[in-house]
Amino acid sequence: MIDIPSIPSPCYVIEERRLRENLARIKQVETRAGVKIILALKAFAMWKTFPLIREYVSCATASSIYEARLVYEKMGCRAHVCSPAYTETDFAELLQYSSHITFNSTGQFGKFRPLVEADGNRVSCGLRINPEYSVVKTALYDPCMAGSRLGVTSDILGNALPKGIDGLHFHALCESSSYDLENTLRAVETRFGRFLPHIKWLNMGGGHLMTHSDYDIEHLIALLVSFKAKYPNLQIILEPGSAFVWQAGFLLATVVDIVENQGIRTAIIDASFACHMPDCLEMPYRPVIRGATEPVPGRPAYRIGGCSCLSGDYMGEWSFKSPLREGDKLIFEDMIHYTTVKTTMFNGIPHPSVAMWTANDELKILRTFAYEDYRDRMD
């Protein structure tokens, strides 16, 4: 039982039991399907949890030089790297931290191939492909939209891959199902099937929400096993992010004031949607607040406002069983994936602490933030 009063506010809290449940499910898929599943740092990069995660998976994927270095230093392995572009300044260092590097264009591969060869071809190179098919409805998150800058389309490649390319990588999903993956694989085979018997690996990217309660794990395993049987030469790689910490933690905040304007009551909290829950505004999506519901006639209803000066730093509205008061705690569910890696210190607002509620029912503070963290970003 989590002791809410013992948690500082505001605070992101990872629940170890739920995290381990997710990891066990991911490990089950990896083992039964005979594939490699790795953690995507772009969704979750709390490195103090990496020793726990390494009990279940062996590596991680990175999208930048800093993520790759973090994988190398804190997860103890070389990263699978995929980025829209690499710079000359970063690439030589990136080679030190990488086992696989996926290039977003044939031009970038041609530019950096001499450095890969000079390094003894220790790094396995791949191309990101664009299957020109996606089920993602929100344009901001759709990598296969018309004119996308992400991935090489089939018509560009002709009938042969550039020499030195070992694998292909696609990323077309976002919190998607195994049936979405099945349809995406059909598009990949249609457009790039001529290459599949001749490469060493195929990275199916992220967006596989295999720890969601409604996800069909058996269908996913059967799909992957069937695909591997069709292409026995391929090592299959999946790199979900959200799935690792889906429903595995929350953001605790406190009501600091209640204001009313033209009949709209807003409970202002000591956290911010803009700073600490940015996907709520970007996606957008309505977070679940523990104990609150959709507006119910006759029940107290509130818009929830963040503590930044951004006018749009609010969402609403929710109904509560009783009126909110200053000092009340609000728990925003499922606020670990993506949220924690996208936070800002806009307005100089204090950053939430980061903690874990352990399997032994103890609060373990992983990180607190101070004025110096804000100041030194501007140094």
Side-chain angles (χ1 to χ4, degrees), residues 98-169:
S98 308
S99 62
H100 297 64
I101 296 181
T102 295
F103 295 87
N104 189 55
S105 71
T106 55
Q108 279 254 301
F109 174 65
K111 178 178 181 178
F112 290 111
R113 180 181 170 188
L115 289 179
V116 174
E117 292 176 344
D119 192 52
N121 291 303
R122 178 184 51 79
V123 171
S124 183
C125 293
L127 275 181
R128 178 169 181 166
I129 56 174
N130 184 339
E132 300 179 75
Y133 172 86
S134 175
V135 297
V136 180
K137 303 301 183 185
T138 303
L140 183 66
Y141 295 95
D142 181 5
C144 299
M145 69 173 72
S148 174
R149 77 191 197 286
L150 300 175
V152 180
T153 53
S154 177
D155 59 297
I156 292 176
L157 291 176
N159 293 318
L161 292 172
K163 184 179 179 181
I165 291 295
D166 295 330
L168 297 176
H169 181 139

Side-chain angles (χ1 to χ4, degrees), residues 265 293-302 317-322:
R265 287 179 293 184
T293 66
E294 295 287 335
V296 176
R299 282 191 175 182
Y302 300 85
E317 63 184 345
W318 286 266
S319 281
F320 294 81
K321 292 181 179 179
S322 56

Side-chain angles (χ1 to χ4, degrees), residues 118-300:
D119 192 52
N121 291 303
R122 178 184 51 79
V123 171
S124 183
C125 293
L127 275 181
R128 178 169 181 166
I129 56 174
N130 184 339
E132 300 179 75
Y133 172 86
S134 175
V135 297
V136 180
K137 303 301 183 185
T138 303
L140 183 66
Y141 295 95
D142 181 5
C144 299
M145 69 173 72
S148 174
R149 77 191 197 286
L150 300 175
V152 180
T153 53
S154 177
D155 59 297
I156 292 176
L157 291 176
N159 293 318
L161 292 172
K163 184 179 179 181
I165 291 295
D166 295 330
L168 297 176
H169 181 139
F170 68 85
H171 183 96
L173 304 176
C174 178
E175 297 185 359
S176 303
S177 72
S178 61
Y179 299 92
D180 295 329
L181 174 60
E182 184 175 31
N183 292 331
T184 302
L185 282 176
R186 289 196 187 101
V188 169
E189 287 191 278
T190 297
R191 291 176 172 83
F192 300 95
R194 60 194 182 280
F195 304 125
L196 297 181
H198 309 295
I199 56 176
K200 296 178 181 178
W201 51 267
L202 178 66
N203 189 321
M204 298 183 181
H208 315 277
L209 197 51
M210 61 186 71
T211 53
H212 191 286
S213 58
D214 294 332
Y215 194 98
D216 192 337
I217 285 288
E218 295 303 322
H219 177 257
L220 173 65
I221 293 170
L223 176 65
L224 295 173
V225 168
S226 174
F227 197 85
K228 278 177 56 66
K230 191 173 182 179
Y231 302 103
N233 55 298
L234 290 179
Q235 179 189 41
I236 303 298
I237 304 163
L238 289 79
E239 44 180 48
S242 299
F244 276 79
V245 287
W246 182 259
Q247 296 289 348
F250 55 86
L251 172 62
L252 174 76
T254 301
V255 176
V256 295
D257 194 15
I258 295 174
V259 298
E260 186 167 348
N261 187 354
Q262 296 181 340
I264 298 175
R265 287 179 293 184
T266 301
I268 301 177
I269 59 175
D270 60 353
S272 162
F273 291 100
C275 300
H276 310 137
M277 297 176 277
D279 273 358
C280 293
L281 301 181
E282 288 179 8
M283 189 71 172
Y285 78 94
R286 176 189 174 89
V288 173
I289 300 177
R290 191 175 299 180
T293 66
E294 295 287 335
V296 176
R299 282 191 175 182

Side-chain angles (χ1 to χ4, degrees), residues 7-8 10-14 44-49 250-251 335-336 340-341 343 351-357 363-369:
I7 300 172
C11 186
Y12 296 105
V13 182
I14 307 165
F44 181 72
M46 290 184 187
W47 57 266
K48 289 185 179 179
T49 67
F250 55 86
L251 172 62
M335 282 293 166
I336 302 300
T340 53
V341 296
T343 59
H351 194 285
S353 300
V354 180
M356 176 177 285
W357 192 265
L363 179 68
K364 182 179 180 181
I365 300 293
L366 302 180
R367 181 76 157 88
T368 57
F369 298 84

